[in-house]
């Protein structure tokens, strides 16, 4: 006869079973939502949890787009998501322990274009289709054969990248007519510019660099001082390899050019690591213009908990370049050297709670030092008690501008000697929370301690400065019915130098027609308005008119002539745009209009400017030459067009055009008080050192364009790219600098710099899974008038090499 189990035993078994079913203590759980780029939930999307080369679990989303997937195996995983007719999505790798609960939101792209998320607009990773601002994301694969970012910075609307000279020469970025120091440059989230905004892109190698993100427009509401015209985000790549992997790249080319690069990366349980070293050498095409750049990078991440990670990043660049100066103006190369040591590093801790509350804390540092040294053996001379460099003249040259004017003579070398330091420590905290109905709020606090020094060994000028700045940001973003997307925010900054400044920003995106299978389905309208702010450079701070008057014992003149301390440089930007999908996402047209106003810009005034505009007596004005003041104002406006077309699976076409109308509205420089004249070109006023009111600012060509034709197959890829620019205004800067101290080497400003059409070609062939051969051909037409007048660019160059991978999976 069967004896029933005791009631107490049955109760215990039921409790244990319920516990096991309810609390799977030995399973990694991944939850989240799958949406379209417009935030519409996607049901019945297939999600696979990949570990190594195998699928360990899979599921399908519910009709509200939510999903949950589990695995009893700990380790590193990748989510592979697919749903017709969207492009499959491969997510970033992550570590999951046996008891981890991880949240991942997945966005599937409509078209065949690679899915794109942007961060610079709002500080929160957002599909680019929802962002009101104009943003360009440069794919990482476009950098495969490049040594720096110069070529690809020109592959974006509204941008004009100018290199002064050949490899190693300073690379300045002008966005929508803004000055080069009006861009906020971030390296792994850490501000990387010099104090005051200067940044030289020639020091950034492509080693372990992800594709840059360019935000065109002011965004001081999020980033504070520096984002007066744009924000550019650069990031170091992360390792997704399960096993240690060594990637080596070696190439060589003409002009004694060679490059070596080694990258070690991998993962170990909760740790992912990547370390790299590269060196680039070239002799360039000019005498005394050798250049080398060494780059060291590191990116190490650790999963403290399933929802908390710590990450350390470092990028160090050391370079040395010859200083031939303006070779075409002198006829020979100067003898000098410029050295740069740049380090940017950060430690970030990031946490996500319940999938919708995100917190980030970062401590970052930047250390910049630049030294210029001249090797001329002549000794300095003293004039009226002031130590000045010796005067050395170049050869007799005939200089021709793009406007057809010529000048013949010998120019005195302008060869500074300096040793400048720019250091910054920062502490950044951000918290953002996503409320119901897809409303996200962000608050951030930013503290930075800036320290700098300008030192000229020749003149003995040696001054130091320290600034402590605070920034508070509040922002709100969301959408209404997945059609109207909004982003509004503002910041209050307390700057050590110019005090308190507020910077609001507003943006709207409206999608009247969602993407679909019909010809013109997919229309997006954008509008944004923002303000920007920029702190003065160290040079502007040390030469402020009020400071110089105080230092020369003329304190009473400050009140008498209503002289104010230098303040923040300001901008106001506005743009409208439309994105139109055509032919079922195969053809995308983007068009936009922008209008920027740059006011309170800093410029340097000569004594005649002080007499003319402030009625300061000449006897006093002569004591404070080259004084800085917020007296410059100019505006820029224009049209941007961009076209992306993928007629075939392996063929991708892209092109763009920008029309820029720029105008100097106010300037108090000596060029506007009494313009210079070349006696051989009578009747033509010339802005020798700065543009004249009513003319265009220097280095802003009215027309720029780009195009790219890319073919990609399983083992072979090729791309031909072009960058085009019209003539632009500029100066030879040879004021009182010919053999007789005259102006015979000045040329009219209008259309002085040449236009150009620069064509580049790259080829890659994957011989095996571990070996790739490639070649990069630059400047196929061998045009040398690409930079400012007097600075010849590199002619045709070619590099060829191999990429070898050892290990990996």
């Amino acid at each position: 006869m069967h004896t029933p189990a005791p009631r107490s035993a049955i109760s215990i078994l039921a409790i244990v079973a319920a516990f096991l079913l309810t609390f799977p203590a030995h399973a990694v759980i991944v939850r989240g939502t799958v949406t379209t780029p417009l935030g519409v939930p996607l049901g019945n999307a297939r999600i696979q949890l990949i570990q190594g080369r195998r699928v360990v679990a899979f599921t399908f989303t519910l009709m509200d787009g939510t999903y949950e997937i589990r695995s009893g195996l700990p380790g590193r995983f990748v989510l592979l998501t697919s749903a017709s007719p969207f492009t499959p999505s491969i997510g970033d790798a992550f570590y999951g322990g046996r008891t981890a609960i991880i949240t991942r939101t997945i966005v599937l792209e409509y078209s065949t274009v690679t899915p794109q998320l942007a961060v610079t607009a709002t500080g929160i990773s957002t599909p680019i289709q929802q962002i009101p601002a104009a943003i360009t994301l440069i794919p990482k694969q476009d950098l495969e054969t490049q040594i720096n970012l110069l070529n690809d910075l020109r592959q974006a609307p509204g941008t004009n990248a100018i290199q002064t000279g050949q490899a190693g020469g300073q690379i300045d970025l002008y966005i929508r007519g803004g000055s080069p120091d009006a861009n906020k440059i971030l390296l792994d989230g850490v501000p990387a510019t010099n104090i005051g905004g200067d940044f030289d892109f020639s020091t950034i190698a492509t080693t372990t660099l992800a594709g840059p993100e360019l935000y065109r427009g002011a965004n001081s509401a999020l980033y504070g001082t520096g984002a007066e015209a744009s924000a550019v985000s650069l990031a170091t790549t992360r390792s997704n390899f399960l096993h240690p992997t060594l990637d080596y790249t070696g190439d060589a080319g003409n002009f004694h050019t060679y490059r070596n690069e080694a990258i070690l990366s991998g993962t170990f349980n909760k740790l992912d690591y990547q370390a790299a070293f590269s060196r680039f050498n070239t002799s360039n095409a000019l005498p005394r213009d050798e250049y080398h750049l060494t780059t060291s990078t590191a990116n190490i991440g650790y999963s403290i908990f399933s929802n908390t990670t710590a990450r350390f990043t470092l990028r160090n660049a050391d370079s040395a370049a010859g200083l031939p100066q303006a070779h075409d103006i002198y006829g020979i190369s100067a003898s000098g050297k410029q050295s740069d040591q740049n380090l940017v590093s950060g430690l970030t801790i990031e946490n996500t709670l319940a999938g919708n509350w995100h917190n980030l804390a970062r401590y970052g540092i930047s250390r910049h030092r630049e030294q210029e040294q001249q090797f001329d053996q002549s000794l300095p001379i003293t004039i009226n008690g002031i130590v000045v460099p010796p005067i050395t003249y170049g050869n007799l040259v005939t200089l021709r501008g793009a406007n057809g004017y010529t000048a013949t003579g010998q120019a005195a070398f302008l060869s500074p000697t300096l040793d400048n330091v720019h250091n910054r420590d920062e502490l950044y905290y951000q918290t953002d929370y996503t409320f119901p109905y897809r409303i996200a709020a962000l608050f951030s606090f930013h503290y930075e301690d800036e320290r700098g020094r300008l030192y000229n060994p020749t003149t003995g000028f040696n001054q130091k400065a320290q600034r402590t700045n605070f920034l508070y940001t509040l922002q709100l973003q969301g959408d209404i019915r997945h059609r109207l997307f909004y982003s509004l925010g503002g910041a209050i900054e307390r700057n050590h130098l110019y005090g308190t400044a507020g910077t609001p920003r507003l943006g709207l995106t409206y999608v009247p027609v969602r993407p679909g299978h019909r010809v013109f389905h997919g229309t997006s309208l954008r509008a944004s308005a923002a303000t920007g702010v920029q702190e003065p450079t160290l040079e502007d701070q040390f030469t402020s008119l009020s400071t110089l008057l105080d230092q020369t014992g003329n304190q009473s003149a400050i009140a008498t002539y209503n002289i104010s301390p230098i303040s923040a440089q300001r901008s106001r930007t506005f743009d409208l745009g439309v994105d139109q999908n055509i032919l079922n996402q195969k053809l995308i047209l983007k068009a936009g209009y922008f209008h920027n106003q740059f006011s309170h810009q800093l410029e340097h005034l000569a004594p005649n400017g002080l007499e003319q505009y402030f009625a300061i007596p000449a006897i006093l004005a002569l004591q404070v030459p080259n004084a800085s003041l917020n007296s410059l104002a100019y505006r820029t406006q224009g049209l941007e067009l961009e076209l992306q077309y993928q007629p075939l699976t392996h063929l991708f076409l892209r092109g763009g055009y920008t029309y820029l109308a720029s105008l100097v509205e106010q300037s108090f420089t000596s060029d506007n008080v009494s313009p210079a004249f070349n006696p051989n070109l009578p009747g033509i006023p010339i802005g020798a050192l700065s543009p004249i009111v009513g003319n265009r600012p220097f280095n802003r060509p009215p027309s720029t364009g780009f195009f790219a034709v890319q073919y990609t197959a399983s083992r072979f890829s090729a791309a031909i790219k072009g960058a085009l620019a019209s003539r632009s205004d500029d100066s030879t800067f040879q004021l009182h600098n010919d053999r007789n101290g005259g102006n015979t080497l000045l040329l009219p400003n209008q259309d002085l710099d040449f236009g150009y059409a620069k064509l580049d070609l790259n080829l890659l062939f994957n011989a095996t899974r571990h070996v790739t051969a490639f070649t990069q051909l630059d400047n196929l037409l061998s045009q040398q008038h690409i930079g400012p007048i007097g600075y010849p660019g590199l002619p045709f160059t070619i590099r060829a090499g191999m990429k070898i991978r050892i290990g990996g999976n």
Side-chain angles (χ1 to χ4, degrees), residues 124-157:
I124 303 172
S125 183
T126 306
I128 198 169
Q129 290 86 347
Q130 300 181 19
I131 297 175
I135 293 180
T136 297
L137 303 178
I138 299 174
K140 180 183 182 303
Q141 56 266 29
D142 286 5
L143 309 179
E144 285 291 322
T145 61
Q146 305 293 330
I147 59 173
N148 58 35
L149 294 173
L150 178 61
N151 290 337
D152 289 284
L153 288 175
R154 291 169 171 157
Q155 293 286 310

Side-chain angles (χ1 to χ4, degrees), residues 19 23 49 104 256 262 436 476 482 567 654 668 678:
F19 179 84
F23 302 99
L49 188 64
R104 287 289 185 272
H256 305 93
L476 191 70
H482 306 292
S567 61
R654 185 169 174 265
F668 292 172
N678 184 333

Side-chain angles (χ1 to χ4, degrees), residues 582 587-590 641-645 653-656:
I582 309 172
L587 182 62
I588 300 176
L589 172 65
K590 299 182 179 182
L641 294 174
E642 182 179 3
L643 193 66
Q644 301 176 9
Y645 182 41
L653 310 177
R654 185 169 174 265

Side-chain angles (χ1 to χ4, degrees), residues 123 350-353 356-360 429-433:
E350 201 165 359
N351 168 269
T352 302
L353 291 175
N356 57 357
W357 186 14
H358 170 250
N359 291 274
L360 181 149
Y429 171 71
Q430 171 185 321
T431 179
D432 52 87
Y433 185 83

Side-chain angles (χ1 to χ4, degrees), residues 166 283-290 322-325 327 332-335:
Q166 303 185 1
S283 66
N284 281 317
L286 295 176
R288 301 175 176 176
D289 197 17
E290 293 84 3
L323 286 177
Q325 303 295 339
H327 182 274
I332 56 175
S333 294
S335 179

Side-chain angles (χ1 to χ4, degrees), residues 187-241:
L187 263 172
D188 294 308
V190 179
T193 58
N194 288 344
I195 299 174
D198 290 328
F199 188 80
D200 180 6
F201 279 91
S202 71
T203 62
I204 301 297
T206 56
T207 301
T208 67
L209 196 66
E213 183 176 328
L214 280 71
Y215 176 104
R216 306 192 300 278
N219 199 358
S220 291
L222 188 62
Y223 298 108
T225 182
E228 191 187 13
S230 76
V232 181
S233 178
L234 309 173
T236 307
T237 56
R238 303 178 184 182
S239 175
N240 284 331
F241 294 114

